[in-house]
Amino acid sequence: MFTVAVLISGTGSNLRALLEAAADPDYPARVVVVGADRDADGLAHAEDFGIPSFTVPYARFASREEWGDELGAQLDVWKPDLVVLSGLMRLLPAGLVDRWTPRVVNTHPAYLPEFPGAHGVRDALAAGVAQTGASVIIVDSGVDSGPILAQERIPVLPGDDEHALHERIKPVERRLLIDVVRRIATGEVDLAAVSAAHAH
Ligand code: GAR
């Protein structure tokens, strides 16, 4: 069975959607572990589904590299086929990215390359655009700069604030994420091939 580790920082609503999808015996991937960089509320979803979890608190390490070494050591315990960053609000250190890419994907609440970074929803609102979106990408050494695996447009509506817009984006992110993980697990998407094509 194709195995997935999911890393989170927050409420983990997208993680929960993936756990629900993966609970279907017909879904071709299983979440084997959930990790967090802090005492994230979303770890409760792992517990609900009987999935083990770990926390590597960023604040306890002297540098991003040392934090990444411990995160990498935790992932080595589980040896997942794929790592999903689902609201992990930290950049992975280059060494960890080098070890895992292209088998690490990230969900992002904007239509990349538009509005990369930690505030994709806020930045789209501030720019006054009529539409934004959701993306799932391969994580490379840049900030939200990796190859795009799936993305979809979402309109910005009059009166939207950051919360309202983000809550409309998230269901789209969930659908894209569940579909991308399914296609990777079945081999329909070849991450190495997508990554190599992006590099040229
Ligand atoms: C999601 O919208 C995800 O795309 C975003 O955090 C949210 C997590 O929501 N990630 C980023 O902005 C990464 N730059 P959740 O904890 O409810 O799943």
Side-chain angles (χ1 to χ4, degrees):
M1 178 57 79
F2 187 90
T3 59
V4 179
V6 184
L7 302 181
I8 63 167
S9 295
T11 55
S13 63
N14 291 354
L15 158 69
R16 187 169 188 99
L18 185 60
L19 288 168
E20 283 167 1
D24 180 342
D26 289 338
Y27 192 77
R30 294 286 169 266
V31 178
V32 290
V33 69
V34 176
D37 66 328
R38 65 195 76 179
D39 190 16
D41 290 346
L43 290 170
H45 302 308
E47 202 176 332
D48 288 351
F49 282 78
I51 309 279
S53 64
F54 63 81
T55 307
V56 183
Y58 188 83
R60 274 198 216 149
F61 294 83
S63 68
R64 181 182 307 279
E65 285 66 31
E66 287 174 37
W67 171 73
D69 287 347
E70 178 57 26
L71 193 57
Q74 291 290 333
L75 293 173
D76 284 343
V77 172
W78 299 93
K79 297 186 175 30
D81 295 307
L82 180 73
V83 177
V84 172
L85 311 187
S86 185
L88 181 74
M89 301 308 284
R90 298 267 176 217
L91 291 179
L92 297 181
L96 192 58
V97 172
D98 286 348
R99 268 188 56 211
W100 279 92
T101 198
R103 293 186 302 124
V104 50
V105 302
N106 183 35
T107 65
H108 186 73
Y111 199 86
L112 291 168
E114 299 169 7
F115 312 117
H119 305 291
V121 183
R122 191 184 304 171
D123 292 346
L125 275 175
V129 291
Q131 52 179 3
T132 180
S135 307
V136 180
I137 64 169
I138 296 175
V139 175
D140 68 6
S141 53
V143 178
D144 296 327
S145 59
I148 291 162
L149 296 168
Q151 62 184 168
E152 199 167 305
R153 282 288 187 193
I154 295 151
V156 179
L157 300 181
D160 264 349
D161 60 13
E162 187 176 352
H163 179 75
L165 180 55
H166 203 167
E167 287 306 305
R168 271 210 330 289
I169 291 171
K170 282 187 184 183
V172 178
E173 279 190 76
R174 286 169 200 149
R175 179 161 44 73
L176 296 180
L177 176 64
I178 290 164
D179 190 52
V180 163
V181 171
R182 183 185 58 72
R183 287 190 287 132
I184 295 169
T186 59
E188 199 180 314
V189 168
D190 178 343
L191 290 175
V194 173
S195 184
H198 184 80
H200 291 110

